[in-house]
Each structure stands twice: as C-alpha cells, then as structure tokens.
Amino acid sequence: MKKPVRSHTLFERAVTVLPGGVDSPVRAFTAVGGAPLFMRRGRGATIEDVDGNRFIDYVMSWGPLLHGHAPSGLIRALGAAARRGTSFGAPSPLEHELGERVRALVPSMERVRFVSSGTEAAMSAIRVARAATGRDRVVKFEGCYHGHADAFLAKAGSGATTLGVPTSPGVAKPVAADTLLARYNDLASVEALFDTPQQTIAAIIVEPIAGNMGVVAPADGFLQGLRTLATRHGALLVFDEVISGFRASAGGAQAIFGVTPDLTCLGKIIGGGLPVGAYGGRADLMNLVAPAGPVYQAGTLSGNPLAMTAGLWALGRLTPKLYKDLARRGSMLAAGFADAARAARVPLQVNAFGSVLTPFFTASPVRDYDSALKADADAYATFFRGMLTRGVYPPPSQFEAWFLSAAHTDRHIGQTIDAARAAMKEVSRVHRA
Ligand code: KE4
C-alpha cells in the first residue's frame, strides 16, 4: 500500500472547512486511529483512494450499493435521467412507480412517502405514530441507531428512571425524556416500560436485524414478541429497515421473520446510491400525512427524478440468485474470519446475517449492546489497519456492519480471508492477553 500522502494533505485542508474534516463522523477513522483515506473512484467491489491504492470495499457507502459501485446500467440510466432534468419540485411519474415497486416488495407499506435520508424516514414515522396514538413516548433499543433526529439521540437515564437522557449536547432534555430505552433481544425490558397505568407509549422502533452495534440478529420470538406487546398496549410497531430493507431479502427482514410492522423506515438501497429514504405502512396511518392529513412533513428534493431513477434501477434487479450468492459469500467470509482467528488464537465472535457481518473481538457471544461493548475495539483497530495495508477496506469501527454486494466475487472473498489470516496474527502479537 502506497503511503496515503495525498489523503493526509487533503485531510489537513478539509478540517479547515468541514467539522472534523468529514460530513459524517464515522468516516473520520476516530475509532481506529489515523487520518481517513480520501476516495476518488469506486468500481464494482473495489474502491480507490487519491494515492492510487485500491481496496476490496466492505463499507460500500454503508449499505446502499447492493449492486456494487457505479454499475454501468445505472450510470446509463442516470445520464439519460439527468439530461431530462434532475429535480422539478413537482410530481413526476417515477415517484409513484417506485412507490408501487416498494409496495410490491414490502406489502405492509400500503402507502409510501419518499424523503432524502434514513433519518428523515425514521423521524417522520415517529411523528405519524405520535399523531395516530395521541401519545408522546417512544421505545428504542440500546445500540440501535435510527439517524440523528433529537428523539433518537437518547440513552438510558440513571437506573431508577427509565426516561432517556441526551447522548448529545443540543438535544433538549424533555425530548430525550420521551425516549425510553430497552435492551435488544430482551422482551422483559420492553414489557417493564409498558408497566405503567398511563398508556403513554406511541411506538416501539427497532432495527429488526440490528446493524449499528455491529450485526446482531433478533433472538427467536423477539420480533413477534414486540408485535404482541405493541398491539396489546395500543402502540405502533415501527421497523427501521434502512439497512435490512432489500438487503436481508427482497422484502426485508419482515418478510424473513413473518412479522408485520405498522410502519417501516427505508433508506440506503432504495436510492441505489443516491439520497433516498422512505417511510410507509398502513394506509389509515399514512393518510394522516400532509396533504392527505394533518401531519406535516415535506422536502425540497423528496422524490426527485434522478434519485427515483436510481431507486427504480436498484429495486428492479432483486433476483433470488442475488440473495443466494450474497448469503453464500457472506457465510464464506464469516467462516474465513473465524478460521483465521482460531489459527491466530484470537478470541472472535462473527455475527453474520446474509450479506452483512461483524467480527467482534471478544470470546463471549454478542446478542445485545452490553455484550457488544465487551469487544476489544483496540484489537479491531489493529485488525482494521492490517486489512487496509493488505488491500481490504473494512468499516472503520468495531460497532458497524461489513457490507457485501453483488459485485463481490469468490475471488474477492478469498483475497479478504488471506488478508485476515495475516492481520489476525498481528492482532495476536499486539494484543495477546
Ligand atoms: P441516514 O440519515 O444516515 O441516511 O440513515 C440513518 C439510519 C437510520 N437507520 C439505520 C438502521 C441506519 O443504519 C442509519 C444510518 N446508518 C449509518 C451506518 N451505521 C450511516 C453511516 C453514517 O452515519 O455515516
């Protein structure tokens, strides 16, 4: 790997105008040390930095690129669309065409509203839930992430209270207090929050397959249990499928687990690499959204024809073979990491689900946020650097998902496993207990 000289020069300049030199914190390599690499192009499963280093990419823009970087068919479709105009601020046929395609794939989404990010999707879904129930409180799970809206930047308060406290300055205390925290895969922790005579909870929001504490799959019965609890207490169940939507399967996680939420949030893949989010669900709920109903939500670039073109292209290629190949290669990579760790005597838990996985540097199973936090983030950072110098670009944080795409081949997976064998030996040398 060539020394990232140009990246460092660019980073020094970027920090003089962009807070932390980036437009989203996780990109800054804070969790793994060193300065971030600046990228100049992506192609298929590979990404190239400004110093000419090429990597097998497992960030894949944090999930949107299910079909790989810059597929030629997508680029052609975008070129044609752009020549007709990128945004009208008026209805275009592409919006309801994509809405119909989403509904065909995710039948619980009887009505869909497009927005420009997963954050907008999740914050709007919660607004609808509060309007529909007349209640203010929302239950979320420690370790799950639903974007940066104030309501979601809350962590468990002191033991006594269940009311959330802000995780970030700038989040008003009363807003955080309306967010209640439960433990993923622990239905009792959710039930306890409903154990008050007042019915104050509008919704439970959950990543049906968690990706933001690293990958953690739902335990048997967990999602069905949430469905039962929400229904029993008159709260809505919101699935945040920004990661799992169209990735876990063509119908997302809800199709795999057979649990129907009242509302679903989408992002990432739905935009094919352009900024698109969406929320939707039961018609009686979504018809509360302006201008059909009184719940206000709007967006200058919502449903713009360029992004809709990318979304239509991406959702038009969700074949059974795609998911079969993704799952096979995901398992190959997970097994390769486990073997490499065993050979180097490095404690590792690999959580994998189809085309997403996380190698946790810990000896004990990871099934919620507390157990995820037991992972050795320093060991992950050593592994990250060892992979980078061997031509693999992993997520720059222990608590994120690795993303595969249709462009990742068996050869890419084999090369990644070879790199992991060497990188694990470095972890063992540096972090031997
Ligand atoms: P955006 O606003 O970043 O489009 O989506 C927010 C969001 C909502 N829900 C889930 C389940 C998500 O994973 C996300 C965003 N995911 C992060 C990666 N962990 C995006 C990367 C970043 O923040 O830069």
Side-chain angles (χ1 to χ4, degrees):
M1 175 182 170
K2 291 177 225 132
K3 279 181 79 61
V5 177
R6 280 185 51 72
S7 275
H8 289 180
T9 309
L10 294 173
F11 188 51
E12 280 164 6
R13 184 170 158 194
V15 295
T16 67
V17 63
L18 308 176
V22 293
D23 284 313
S24 201
V26 72
R27 304 178 192 172
F29 277 25
T30 317
V32 292
L37 298 180
F38 281 59
M39 299 301 174
R40 69 176 169 206
R41 72 175 297 163
R43 176 183 292 177
T46 62
I47 194 165
E48 184 177 322
D49 72 12
V50 294
D51 291 284
N53 295 303
R54 207 165 287 173
F55 306 90
I56 303 170
D57 184 6
Y58 288 97
V59 174
M60 296 306 284
S61 182
W62 299 99
L65 307 181
L66 187 71
H67 302 288
H69 285 282
S72 48
L74 171 62
I75 301 308
R76 278 196 302 276
L78 287 174
R83 277 189 286 279
R84 293 192 293 273
T86 57
S87 177
F88 306 134
S92 85
L94 299 171
E95 295 161 77
H96 60 261
E97 280 170 23
L98 184 55
E100 288 160 356
R101 186 161 301 175
V102 168
R103 182 168 58 189
L105 291 164
V106 189
S108 71
M109 298 180 79
E110 297 170 349
R111 296 289 184 281
V112 181
R113 168 60 62 87
F114 291 109
V115 292
S116 297
S117 70
T119 294
E120 274 190 275
M123 65 187 263
S124 307
I126 291 304
R127 187 176 303 145
V128 170
R130 287 172 163 159
T133 59
R135 303 174 184 177
D136 291 341
R137 290 200 169 142
V138 171
V139 173
K140 77 172 286 288
F141 293 87
E142 290 169 330
C144 285
Y145 175 69
H146 307 291
H148 65 86
D150 284 358
F152 302 127
L153 297 183
K155 65 182 177 207
S158 60
T161 70
T162 51
L163 310 188
V165 295
T167 56
S168 161
V171 172
K173 290 187 185 59
V175 170
D178 274 336
T179 302
L180 310 183
L181 279 298
R183 185 192 300 271
Y184 200 77
N185 280 329
D186 177 351
L187 283 171
S189 72
V190 186
E191 193 132 29
L193 297 174
F194 281 98
D195 266 356
T196 55
Q198 310 85 351
Q199 290 295 7
T200 59
I201 294 171
I204 301 170
I205 185 167
V206 67
E207 292 180 58
I209 300 164
N212 284 289
M213 56 182 109
V215 174
V216 176
D220 287 352
F222 176 61
L223 298 176
Q224 186 52 56
L226 296 180
R227 177 66 279 171
T228 306
L229 270 174
T231 304
R232 183 184 308 150
H233 293 284
L236 300 187
L237 180 60
V238 182
F239 272 8
D240 178 344
E241 296 226 41
V242 167
I243 287 182
S244 56
F246 315 116
R247 178 169 286 278
S249 80
Q254 55 193 274
I256 293 174
F257 295 101
V259 175
T260 303
D262 300 297
L263 294 169
T264 297
C265 311
L266 297 170
K268 297 183 194 280
I269 293 170
I270 195 172
L274 268 64
V276 179
Y279 65 104
R282 288 180 9 216
D284 63 302
L285 296 172
M286 289 302 292
N287 284 334
L288 289 170
V289 178
V295 177
Y296 197 71
Q297 180 270 310
T300 302
L301 290 168
S302 297
N304 73 76
L306 196 61
M308 294 293 102
T309 298
L312 282 162
W313 191 92
L315 300 197
R317 287 157 177 77
L318 304 178
T319 62
K321 181 180 182 317
L322 167 74
Y323 292 102
K324 204 159 128 282
D325 290 349
L326 285 169
R328 181 175 61 81
R329 292 186 175 120
S331 314
M332 259 172 85
L333 188 57
F337 282 174
D339 292 345
R342 225 183 334 272
R345 294 157 55 146
V346 168
L348 192 80
Q349 300 288 323
V350 186
N351 284 7
F353 198 102
S355 62
V356 292
L357 62 93
T358 299
F360 287 100
F361 285 77
T362 175
S364 38
V366 176
R367 41 176 281 115
D368 56 25
Y369 192 45
D370 285 348
S371 47
L373 290 178
K374 290 197 174 72
D376 181 343
D378 291 339
Y380 181 85
T382 303
F383 179 66
F384 171 86
R385 284 190 293 276
M387 295 297 269
L388 215 51
T389 54
R390 293 176 175 85
V392 175
Y393 187 68
S397 163
Q398 165 69 96
F399 306 106
E400 293 287 355
W402 291 48
F403 293 96
L404 278 77
S405 79
H408 285 77
T409 62
D410 287 7
R411 188 159 178 274
H412 289 128
I413 303 302
Q415 288 170 332
T416 306
I417 293 169
D418 290 346
R421 284 202 189 97
M424 282 295 177
K425 289 196 182 110
E426 287 168 3
V427 172
S428 177
R429 265 199 307 279
V430 173
H431 299 274
R432 186 177 291 287

